[in-house]
């Protein structure tokens, strides 16, 4: 199996699994309990908080654990709106559905939402973000990198403009945390979402960075866990797993391992482009996460390509995993104005540090064979 779908999810690192293991059957205390087992759980959570904070240059007390990226995004947006009378949100047309669908719902509930356009490379104009801000703007929510194309937005520039207008910036960093260095202060984010399963941690664990002084109202009501912002008994094992995954990711980033991922991604891309003349790279190649390439195979259907690839042992995705099964091009590719014939055949290949050169060379052969065969069937590529 050649797994090139790491933007959907990643394999849990063996060390992460080992770190989590004791918290189910040995150290299974509730972190709110005063006895030794409870305190062991509390200590483990606080250690994990330190690791997650270090991954994004935050202070441990600024990290709120959640059930994943979706919950972190929801808490950031709804929590901000819950603490202000302002009714306007600025976001982009290409956010992950965790933000996009929430904002669409808000627009039906009396909020005003501005969906900023992107250009044909999937890039955002920071000046447009600033121009959209008004006196009633509660929040700007802009993703760090796009899950479908890997395109990285100029967050620092957007953040400077938000700060000048006194509006907090939420950054969905689910596709960058653990892949590229992140420093919340340098980035200028007041809120930042992370998800463990995108960097070899467990599914169902995430975090929201909440900068000091930011007013946020909880979305769930209950106990006092996570400074009241996320009540409910903590999922200790998952949090511990996220902490260990964050620690390992930080090590990998500083050891330059992600540079090797970029080289393999470039090798894959170059190999496909050299042998498949109806293949086009989608998105801003100069500003992308190191592990992602989205390639449009003109006149093919992405679903057909994915099934044929899967039969040959290659795992990839078309657009967002969440929208697979639908034949419509994703809202991201639509917002980029990608030609329909290319957008329908858009396949995302996403690597990890576990991907090998041999796998990439084999994948190039399989992708070339599969797409040429399908093209000969449709006869028009
Ligand atoms: N935001 C982005 C950019 C994502 O790519 C994803 C998952 O694909 C999410 C949010 C949702 O994260 P989770 O799966 O942890 O809920």
């Amino acid at each position: 199996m050649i797994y090139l779908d790491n933007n959907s999810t990643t394999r849990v690192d063996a060390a992460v699994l080992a770190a989590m293991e004791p918290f189910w059957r040995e150290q299974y205390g509730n972190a709110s309990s005063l006895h030794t087992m409870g305190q062991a759980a509390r200590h483990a959570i606080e250690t994990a908080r330190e690791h997650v904070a270090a991954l994004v240059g935050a202070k441990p007390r600024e990290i709120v654990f959640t059930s994943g990226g979706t919950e972190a995004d929801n808490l950031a947006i709804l929590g901000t709106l819950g603490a202000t009378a302002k009714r306007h949100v600025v976001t982009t047309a290409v956010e992950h559905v965790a933000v996009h669908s929430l904002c669409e719902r808000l627009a039906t509930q009396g909020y005003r939402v501005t969906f900023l356009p992107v250009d044909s490379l999937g890039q955002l104009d920071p000046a447009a973000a600033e121009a959209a801000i008004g006196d009633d703007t509660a929040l700007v929510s802009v993703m760090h990198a796009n899950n479908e194309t890997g395109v990285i937005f100029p967050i620092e520039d957007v953040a400077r403009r938000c700060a000048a207008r006194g509006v907090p910036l939420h950054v969905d960093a689910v596709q960058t945390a653990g892949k590229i260095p992140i420093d919340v202060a340098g980035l200028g984010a007041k809120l930042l979402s992370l998800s463990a399963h995108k960097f070899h941690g467990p599914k169902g664990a995430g975090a929201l960075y909440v900068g000091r002084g930011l007013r946020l109202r909880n979305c769930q009501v209950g106990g006092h866990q996570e400074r009241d912002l996320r009540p409910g008994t903590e999922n200790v094992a998952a949090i511990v797993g996220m902490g260990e995954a964050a620690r390992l990711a930080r090590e990998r980033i500083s050891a330059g391992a992600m540079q090797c991922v970029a080289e393999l991604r470039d090798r894959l891309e170059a190999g496909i482009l050299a042998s498949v003349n109806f293949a086009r790279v989608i998105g801003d190649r100069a500003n992308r996460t190191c592990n992602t390439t989205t390639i449009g195979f003109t006149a093919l259907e992405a679903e057909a390509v994915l099934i044929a690839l899967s039969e040959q042992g290659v795992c990839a995705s078309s657009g967002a995993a969440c929208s697979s099964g639908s034949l419509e091009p994703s809202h991201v590719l639509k917002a980029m104005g990608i030609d329909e014939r290319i957008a329908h055949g858009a396949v995302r290949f996403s690597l990890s540090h576990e991907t090998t050169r041999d796998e990439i060379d084999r994948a190039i052969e399989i992708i070339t064979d599969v797409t040429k065969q399908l093209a000969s069937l449709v006869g028009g590529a």
Side-chain angles (χ1 to χ4, degrees), residues 17 21 35 53 60-61 76 80 116 130 148 155-156 184 193 212 255 257 273 345 359-360 378:
L17 190 62
E21 228 266 308
H35 50 66
R61 66 170 177 277
T80 302
L116 299 168
E130 185 175 5
E148 292 188 35
I155 294 294
E156 293 89 341
V184 279
S193 306
R212 274 188 70 194
L273 293 181
E359 285 179 328
I360 289 301
V378 298

Side-chain angles (χ1 to χ4, degrees), residues 16-371:
V16 168
L17 190 62
M20 292 169 71
E21 228 266 308
F23 293 93
W24 277 297
R25 291 196 50 83
E26 292 154 38
Q27 297 288 352
Y28 54 86
N30 185 321
S32 300
S33 300
L34 285 178
H35 50 66
T36 48
M37 279 237 281
Q39 289 314 294
R42 166 62 45 214
H43 179 71
I45 288 176
E46 296 317 319
T47 304
R49 202 184 304 281
E50 283 168 20
H51 291 317
V52 172
L55 183 66
V56 297
K59 300 205 170 53
R61 66 170 177 277
E62 296 169 324
I63 297 297
V64 175
F65 285 114
T66 66
S67 67
T70 302
E71 189 188 333
D73 285 342
N74 275 258
L75 178 58
I77 296 171
L78 294 175
T80 302
L81 294 176
T84 174
K86 296 182 178 178
R87 310 284 284 177
H88 178 225
V89 176
V90 177
T91 187
T92 80
V94 296
E95 298 297 304
H96 184 270
V97 282
V99 169
H100 193 77
S101 298
L102 173 60
C103 287
E104 281 182 329
R105 175 181 288 189
L106 289 169
T108 68
Q109 294 177 334
Y111 289 93
R112 199 163 64 81
V113 181
T114 304
F115 293 96
L116 299 168
V118 294
D119 64 17
S120 59
L121 293 179
Q123 261 308 349
L124 176 71
D125 175 6
E130 185 175 5
I133 296 175
D135 292 342
D136 198 36
T137 306
L139 179 73
V140 174
S141 180
V142 173
M143 69 202 315
H144 197 185
N146 188 273
N147 44 301
E148 292 188 35
T149 59
V151 170
I152 298 178
F153 279 157
I155 294 294
E156 293 89 341
D157 194 344
V158 174
R160 267 195 301 277
R161 295 165 191 265
C162 290
R165 301 293 301 269
V167 176
L169 172 67
H170 164 239
V171 175
D172 177 340
V174 166
Q175 289 294 346
T176 49
K179 289 179 193 155
I180 61 175
I182 293 184
D183 173 54
V184 279
L187 214 51
K190 295 285 180 258
L191 294 153
L192 183 127
S193 306
L194 301 88
S195 177
H197 75 104
K198 306 294 187 183
F199 54 92
H200 306 275
K203 295 167 184 63
L208 180 67
Y209 155 78
V210 183
R212 274 188 70 194
L214 198 99
R215 289 184 57 218
L216 207 63
R217 185 168 193 214
N218 57 9
C219 299
Q220 286 154 256
V221 180
H224 297 300
Q225 292 90 348
E226 299 300 297
R227 294 191 285 122
D228 289 347
L229 283 171
R230 208 290 185 157
T233 303
E234 299 91 339
N235 185 347
V236 183
I239 289 172
V240 167
M242 182 171 192
E244 181 64 2
R247 190 185 69 75
L248 292 169
R250 204 160 149 245
E251 268 180 19
R252 273 197 300 276
I253 292 170
S254 37
M258 301 316 282
Q259 185 49 41
C260 305
V261 177
E263 283 163 21
L264 285 181
R265 186 272 314 273
D266 292 346
R267 186 179 177 88
L268 173 70
E269 202 166 77
I272 296 171
L273 293 181
S275 53
V276 184
N277 65 7
F278 51 90
R280 303 273 176 281
V281 175
I282 294 173
D284 182 0
R285 292 172 80 171
N287 296 292
R288 279 184 304 176
T289 41
C290 49
N291 76 321
T292 308
T293 175
T294 292
I295 300 188
F297 296 98
T298 314
L300 299 189
E301 278 296 339
E303 280 71 13
V305 177
L306 291 179
I307 291 166
L309 287 179
S310 174
E311 280 167 2
Q312 301 296 317
V314 175
C315 301
S317 266
S318 70
C322 321
S323 69
S324 61
S326 108
L327 286 170
E328 275 287 285
S330 69
H331 67 281
V332 175
L333 300 182
K334 277 190 190 158
M336 291 167 72
I338 303 292
D339 182 320
E340 286 249 324
R341 273 165 53 90
I342 299 176
H344 276 289
V347 176
R348 178 186 71 189
F349 302 100
S350 48
L351 290 65
S352 83
H353 70 283
E354 294 187 336
T355 310
T356 66
R357 193 177 158 132
D358 283 351
E359 285 179 328
I360 289 301
D361 289 344
R362 182 77 191 111
I364 294 170
E365 285 172 17
I366 294 173
I367 294 162
T368 303
D369 288 352
V370 157
T371 53

